[in-house]
Amino acid sequence: DRVRDAGAGLALGWLLALLLLRRLLAPAGRVPAEVTAAEAPPENAVDFVLRGGNQAAYDAREREILVEGPRGTGKTRTILEKLHHLCIDHPGLHAGIFRKYQRTLAGTCLTTFNEQVISGGQGISFYGGSDSEPAAYRYRNGSRIVCLGLDDSEKTKSAELDIAFINEATEVTEADYEGLLPLLRHQVDGKRLIEAQRIYADCNPADSGHWLNQRAERGQTRRIRTQLRDNPAYYDDGGSLTEAGAA
């Protein structure tokens, strides 16, 4: 099992490193003259616009936040943007991105992070991980975002975080989820870097008996619903379908 896990971590590291390198080496001809290649957004990128449920999710400060909605609402990007902005604004911040299995991260939300959020690197490096340290995005100001599977309990339980994000939370158990809550304990010189340490989870709507719904119904978790109209890729500011939305 350890050999398989190590191989999965190495594969994740190589893939993410290649994605970052591809962004950094984008041909200069695709970049407007007033923007450097390292700062340029990816081709066909949609400007980050907050509205509706995504605005509520970005601004949320509760300890547990469930962001729910069908595919394409922009909920995952919104949460990733929040983590990224906190890392920039609070030097030394510790964030974490999680799925049930680490090997599923690279082809899912980390692709969104690489191609839509960090836009060519912005001075961010990726460390592929080792037996003693998890894979992570490292910021020049000392902030970092670790990338872990909840199946790797040894690396997960040692983390100290300010904010966590579980992508596709319907894949994980309530025990997995609750195991992350005690990790919201990161401090520097005895003080929190952000006042509202919290955990985000996103998912497509689950059945009423699912534990995520039960936590929301009990008031343990704030539920925020998103819809396609919240995504500027599909609806413009006037509420009309964009070309992509009409396709």
Side-chain angles (χ1 to χ4, degrees):
D1 287 345
R2 289 185 177 179
V3 172
R4 183 174 64 252
D5 291 345
L10 183 61
L12 174 67
W14 275 108
L15 179 55
L16 291 173
L18 287 171
L19 285 168
L20 282 172
L21 184 62
R22 184 181 68 183
R23 305 256 24 111
L24 289 168
L25 298 180
R30 298 180 183 175
V31 181
E34 70 274 12
V35 181
T36 66
E39 297 170 338
E43 290 185 71
N44 303 318
V46 176
D47 290 340
F48 182 56
V49 176
L50 286 168
R51 59 165 80 118
N54 288 332
Q55 178 77 67
Y58 188 90
D59 293 339
R61 295 171 60 83
E62 289 81 3
R63 186 166 177 82
E64 299 182 35
I65 305 155
L66 173 63
V67 186
E68 180 182 288
R71 181 178 179 181
T73 65
K75 59 187 182 295
T76 298
R77 180 179 177 183
T78 295
I79 299 169
L80 292 172
E81 292 275 3
K82 183 67 175 184
L83 268 61
H84 176 55
H85 296 165
L86 286 173
C87 282
I88 292 172
D89 293 342
H90 300 275
L93 186 113
H94 288 185
I97 300 173
F98 300 87
R99 281 192 73 153
K100 179 65 174 179
Y101 301 104
Q102 186 192 52
R103 63 179 179 270
T104 64
L105 279 169
T108 54
C109 69
L110 295 191
T111 298
T112 301
F113 188 70
N114 287 329
E115 297 187 352
Q116 298 183 35
V117 178
I118 60 176
S119 301
Q122 300 178 353
I124 303 164
S125 63
F126 184 78
Y127 170 69
S130 66
D131 289 341
S132 59
E133 188 174 351
Y137 291 92
R138 294 173 170 177
Y139 289 67
R140 288 177 178 172
N141 66 1
S143 294
R144 66 178 184 176
I145 303 176
V146 298
C147 307
L148 283 166
L150 292 173
D151 57 324
D152 191 348
S153 59
E154 289 302 312
K155 287 184 179 178
T156 300
K157 70 182 181 182
S158 62
E160 294 188 357
L161 302 173
D162 298 287
I163 188 165
F165 169 38
I166 304 176
N167 179 234
E168 295 294 345
T170 50
E171 296 177 352
V172 309
T173 67
E174 189 168 13
D176 290 331
Y177 177 92
E178 291 182 332
L180 290 181
L181 292 171
L183 305 185
L184 299 174
R185 61 191 180 191
H186 181 236
Q187 297 184 354
V188 176
D189 296 328
K191 297 181 180 179
R192 294 180 178 182
L193 291 180
I194 56 174
E195 181 180 346
Q197 292 181 328
R198 52 204 182 272
I199 182 170
Y200 279 99
D202 76 353
C203 70
N204 296 327
D207 65 85
S208 60
H210 195 279
W211 64 264
L212 283 167
N213 279 319
Q214 294 299 312
R215 290 186 80 89
E217 291 296 325
R218 291 194 298 266
Q220 291 175 275
T221 303
R222 178 184 176 185
R223 187 208 309 270
I224 298 172
R225 291 185 170 92
T226 61
Q227 54 186 333
L228 289 176
R229 287 182 178 275
D230 298 337
N231 191 339
Y234 300 132
Y235 286 86
D236 62 24
D237 291 337
S240 299
L241 284 167
T242 64
E243 183 177 347

